[in-house]
Amino acid sequence: PTLPYGTWPSPFSAEQVVTAGSRPTQIWADGGVTWWSETRPAEGGREQIVRLDPGGIPRDLLPDGFNARTRVHEYGGAAYTVDRGTVYFANFADQRVYRQRPGEPPEAITAEGSFYADFRVDRTRGRLVGVREDHSRPGEPVTERDPGRQRGVWVVSSRTLEDRSPSTPACPDEAKLPSSVPPEATSPRG
């Protein structure tokens, strides 16, 4: 018998279709390692950052409670970048930027109140740049302009790229990136 449109039986449930809908996005290559973001429907739509080890084994990066998604412009943007194995990402719950070094837990490197996205590591100037939206005031959010730079691009980090000792607390508005760039190359106006 012919059934009306949309009423035929299916071998797949709606849950099966949704949970099978994960696909890699935001793909990066860093030092011979491939990284990507992957939606996890079974985890409430959480975005996990995955790395493909040189042996071909995919490994999840973010611990439970972290979700690499951003709400910049309310539709999101690129929520992470990776540089020399260190990942910088926007966490969906608080929209703060976190740094996660290899083998370490995520560390917040920005204060609350702004949303960030579309990160790039600027090794020459020793900084992490991205789009910043201010959500600290009532009303519409403002895509801020960092003085002396193009609209919407914000320096998340403008410090030297040397590693901080574990006893030094993270600055709430800036991050240090691991490297050996001399301090004179890190001028905010560089």
Side-chain angles (χ1 to χ4, degrees):
T2 303
L3 298 173
Y5 177 79
T7 63
W8 59 88
S10 172
F12 305 106
S13 70
E15 183 179 341
Q16 287 174 315
V17 171
V18 170
T19 58
S22 184
R23 61 183 165 85
T25 60
Q26 299 181 50
I27 301 168
W28 287 97
D30 178 60
V33 176
T34 303
W35 300 78
W36 67 88
S37 177
E38 185 176 287
T39 303
R40 301 285 171 84
E43 298 176 29
R46 174 180 181 230
E47 289 284 329
Q48 177 62 269
I49 298 172
V50 182
R51 67 174 273 159
L52 186 64
D53 286 343
I57 300 168
R59 302 209 187 269
D60 292 352
L61 176 75
L62 303 179
D64 289 343
F66 286 92
N67 181 356
R69 286 176 58 195
T70 179
R71 293 184 54 202
V72 166
H73 310 307
E74 293 305 324
Y75 60 82
Y80 85 100
T81 194
V82 61
D83 182 66
R84 297 183 184 179
T86 297
V87 175
Y88 301 88
F89 68 95
N91 185 47
F92 190 68
D94 58 12
Q95 291 298 297
R96 294 174 73 181
V97 178
Y98 287 77
R99 171 183 52 216
Q100 188 167 353
R101 294 179 174 134
E104 295 182 15
E107 170 188 20
I109 61 172
T110 60
E112 292 185 52
S114 293
F115 295 3
Y116 296 88
D118 301 318
F119 308 109
R120 295 295 181 269
V121 172
D122 177 356
R123 273 213 166 272
T124 302
R125 292 176 183 88
R127 60 191 183 185
L128 178 67
V129 297
V131 173
R132 174 175 148 166
E133 252 183 13
D134 183 4
H135 286 254
S136 64
R137 297 178 286 267
E140 288 293 315
V142 176
T143 301
E144 298 182 310
R145 181 172 189 256
D146 195 5
R149 291 181 176 71
Q150 69 184 45
R151 178 170 171 69
V153 174
W154 193 265
V155 175
V156 179
S157 167
S158 61
R159 296 188 173 220
T160 62
L161 299 181
E162 64 201 40
D163 279 323
R164 149 191 13 253
S165 76
S167 62
T168 305
C171 176
D173 290 315
E174 295 184 342
K176 290 183 180 179
L177 308 175
S179 180
S180 59
V181 172
E184 61 272 12
T186 63
S187 164
R189 296 239 180 223

